[in-house]
Amino acid sequence: MAEAPPISGFVRLPGWGPFGAAGCEKIMGIGAAKERDPSLHVPNRFLYQGEPEPPARSGHRCIADSANLYVFGGYNPDFDESGGPGNAEYPLFRELWRYHLATGTWHRVPTDGYTPKELASMSVVLHGSSLLTFGGTGVPFGESSGNDVNVCNLRSRCWTRLPSRGRKPSKIYGQAMAIIHGALYVFGGTTGYVYNTDLHRLDLGTHEWVKLEPCNGRDEMPGERYRHEIAHDDTRIYVLGGGTSWMAYPLDKINAYNLENNMWEEIMTKPHDKIGFPAARRCHSCVQIGKDVFICGGYDGERIFGDLWRLNLGSFQWTKLPAEMPEPAYFHCAAVTPAGCMYVHGGVVSIQENRRTPSLYRAWLTAPSLLELCWERLLASAPCLAHASPRHLLQLGLSWQLIDRLRDT
């Protein structure tokens, strides 16, 4: 078997900062650009573009495309960190933030329509150009949970509630979900009082909910849980970790739902040589690239983890990767870009102090392509490139795919 590509360490990303036009003319090779074409001049309003980073939070979720990281919701009981009197939703964050990857700047995204109020431990997935949320809870936790699918079109920036029929899941939070073969699958979660192992499917074409009834006996079902993660391939949904308020599930074996025969299976995984298995955990994060699943962070009720592990869904081999989160965290969020770069944001970093962080980190989970390496070098050398017109970018030889990444809208 070929050896997997090296994994880069985590890199802390600045929340915001000034970036001027230094290096712009040199990299473009056009000499005195300001005199030749005023459209290449960087207006003053762009020199300090962006907003301060999102306040520290936990229980939020994020997704990423090739141009942006989107962060939705979250919770912070610290009155000042939550925005003080300026945050009408305290201790929650009823807001959507966008981190523009090309310029490294945060922006709070204004949206229309009805923004969901269930802002802690909801589930979020990216579907085309839309962000889909399901479930989640308000405060007090469990007293105002939801069971609607809410959709934010990231182009029009408008929220709508997806109409549906059939047998919906209960009002829950801490569940996990994924889109597989045009259907949304939701597993587990809690009402705040009861944990479950329910598995529901929503057909995204007909908008009909179905509660799946696996052909297993009671003793063959997964344990009840919340704040787990799921991965999938063409035939199975894999449940990774999670737990209850008093325990966390181990990762030496995982439960898998077989989509073809409607059966739950228990799969034994293989330990990393001389290290063993990842510690049992809940409130961790998980991203997937093909058959490789990556988990990081989380906690078991006593310890906070900052490790990064890979599970291959072909061999079920665990590999501990040579990267550690600069701040071990749980109740954080993570998302991976199509190019294979994982971004990790926020979370609880101290159990005793109940302290949260606004930090944003990233790590390459695959060897970056030559295109990505050149792209990052270009952005570092000419940050003002983001403010040139599409016509000039085309003249410089950039493809429309790259130009779309630069559009800071």
Side-chain angles (χ1 to χ4, degrees), residues 338-353:
C341 189
M342 178 176 69
Y343 289 81
V344 179
H345 180 259
V348 180
V349 293
S350 172
I351 298 176
Q352 292 76 21
E353 300 175 8

Side-chain angles (χ1 to χ4, degrees), residues 120-311:
S121 290
M122 78 297 288
S123 297
V124 172
V125 294
L126 180 64
H127 183 51
S129 60
S130 293
L131 179 152
L132 274 60
T133 76
F134 174 80
T137 182
V139 175
F141 296 148
E143 296 295 323
S144 56
S145 300
N147 63 347
D148 290 310
V149 175
N150 295 283
V151 182
C152 181
N153 186 301
L154 298 175
R155 293 176 179 169
S156 65
R157 298 178 177 178
C158 183
W159 284 97
T160 57
R161 180 164 292 170
L162 188 73
S164 64
R165 54 193 174 89
R167 189 174 178 183
K168 297 172 64 173
S170 302
K171 293 184 176 182
I172 52 175
Y173 64 96
Q175 69 288 330
M177 73 179 187
I179 296 177
I180 309 169
H181 304 318
L184 184 69
Y185 288 83
V186 177
F187 173 73
T190 182
T191 62
Y193 305 95
V194 177
Y195 299 91
N196 74 69
T197 58
D198 295 341
L199 179 62
H200 287 78
R201 180 182 66 214
L202 173 67
D203 188 308
L204 293 175
T206 64
H207 298 178
E208 181 174 6
W209 281 106
V210 173
K211 182 181 180 182
L212 300 173
E213 301 291 350
C215 306
N216 300 80
R218 183 179 296 273
D219 60 347
E220 298 175 315
M221 296 291 290
E224 299 171 343
R225 70 192 71 197
Y226 96 127
R227 289 304 308 210
H228 49 287
E229 297 291 340
I230 60 176
H232 65 90
D233 55 25
D234 289 335
T235 58
R236 292 179 178 86
I237 298 174
Y238 303 92
V239 181
L240 302 168
T244 63
S245 61
W246 59 87
M247 58 84 67
Y249 284 100
L251 292 162
D252 58 338
K253 54 187 176 183
I254 57 177
N255 297 105
Y257 173 75
N258 192 309
L259 297 164
E260 297 178 345
N261 63 18
N262 190 34
M263 291 279 291
W264 281 102
E265 307 166 356
E266 189 173 79
I267 296 176
M268 305 303 295
T269 61
K270 300 174 183 177
H272 185 115
D273 184 38
K274 298 181 181 179
I275 297 178
F277 298 96
R281 67 192 67 201
R282 61 186 186 267
C283 309
H284 50 292
S285 60
C286 172
V287 300
Q288 182 173 355
I289 303 175
K291 283 188 171 292
D292 286 328
V293 181
F294 301 83
I295 67 168
C296 74
Y299 88 134
D300 61 5
E302 297 180 355
R303 296 174 296 167
I304 305 177
F305 302 109
D307 48 358
L308 175 63
W309 289 79
R310 177 178 62 221
L311 176 68

